[in-house]
Structure formats: C-alpha cells, structure tokens
Amino acid sequence: MIRSEIHILGPNKLQNALMASYLESETGLPCSYSKDMNLSCALKGGDRSLVFWDCSGSIVENLLTQLDTGSDSGCAGILPALFNAALDRKAYKVHREAVIRGVRGIFFEDDPPEVFAKGVSVILKGEHWLSRDFLNKCVLETMD
C-alpha cells in the first residue's frame, strides 16, 4: 500500500498551519508545513508526498529550477502543486511552464478551502488539478 502525505511550503506560518490542520482533517492524511522552500525536505516518511508550494511572495522560478533537478535529488515521489497562484497574464505563463515541468495542480488565490480537499484526492489518484480557464488558455495559446 502506498503511503501518502501532504506538505505545505511557504513563508506564512499561520496560514500554513491552518491549511495543514484543515487538509489533515478533510483527507485523513498526515500533513506538515515548513518555511523551507526546498522540495527535497518534503519527502520524509511517505512513499508519495503532495507538496503545496506557496506562490505568494515567493519566486516560482526557484520551484522550476528544483523541478528540473528533482529527479536527480531524490524527489521522484513528490507531486508538486502551487497554491495562492495569481490570476494575471504574467503569472499564467509561469504556471504553464510549471505544469510542463511537472506541477500536478494549481490552486488560485481566491479558491475556497473545499477546492483543496478535492484537488488532493484527484492529484493522489495520478491526475492533474487544473482549472478549466487555465486549460482553455493553454489550448488557445498552442493554436495561435
């Protein structure tokens, strides 16, 4: 049986503690949080870790670099997802690149808590959690 866990990486301790508590109660999975924005710190006890990366005030390019080197550094069991993602055009391009490099889900600034619990389930089943609006933009961009 595959053991899964959830990790939240971001600078806001209160927000992350509340999110960890909520997700643990909703999913029944162990959930932790850290200010350390290093993906490799997330794979501790489980076989598969869903890692929520806080986009607010952080450099998503740092995550992209970690995703590029992740398979070499023992991060193969990590399923990365972005949260507090911005909805503007500039951010969309970075999010698109993140998905190309392995991000499994994107949760936006205005998403309600229930969306996170649903998204966790979907991602841990091996699927992606991406909004219809985001996917439409991706399809339309590739058709231009």
Side-chain angles (χ1 to χ4, degrees):
M1 182 173 164
I2 295 177
R3 295 174 303 152
S4 298
E5 55 193 26
I6 301 169
H7 298 280
I8 301 162
L9 305 180
N12 188 331
K13 185 177 180 179
L14 176 60
Q15 171 191 268
N16 296 343
L18 291 170
M19 186 172 161
S21 177
Y22 173 77
L23 288 175
E24 197 166 280
S25 70
E26 290 296 311
T27 66
L29 297 172
C31 200
S32 64
Y33 59 92
S34 174
K35 283 186 165 186
D36 184 352
M37 298 296 279
N38 187 335
L39 286 178
S40 63
C41 78
L43 196 57
K44 294 178 181 171
D47 299 316
R48 186 173 48 184
S49 293
L50 173 54
V51 179
F52 282 101
W53 178 284
D54 188 351
C55 292
S56 64
S58 68
I59 302 171
V60 178
E61 286 79 8
N62 182 6
L63 170 64
L64 298 180
T65 301
Q66 289 186 54
L67 289 171
D68 286 342
T69 60
S71 58
D72 300 331
S73 61
C75 296
I78 291 178
L79 303 170
L82 305 178
F83 77 102
N84 283 333
L87 295 165
D88 59 55
R89 179 111 176 113
K90 181 182 174 193
Y92 157 76
K93 291 181 182 223
V94 174
H95 300 153
R96 184 176 184 275
E97 186 62 31
V99 171
I100 290 168
R101 295 191 198 186
V103 164
R104 303 301 295 266
I106 300 176
F107 299 82
F108 293 96
E109 297 167 317
D110 59 352
D111 283 343
E114 303 81 38
V115 169
F116 287 85
K118 289 179 187 175
V120 166
S121 173
V122 168
I123 293 170
L124 290 176
K125 287 179 186 173
E127 300 174 29
H128 285 78
W129 183 264
L130 304 168
S131 74
R132 180 165 291 185
D133 183 53
F134 177 79
L135 290 173
N136 284 336
K137 287 178 184 175
C138 288
V139 168
L140 293 174
E141 184 174 288
T142 59
M143 296 175 91
D144 290 338

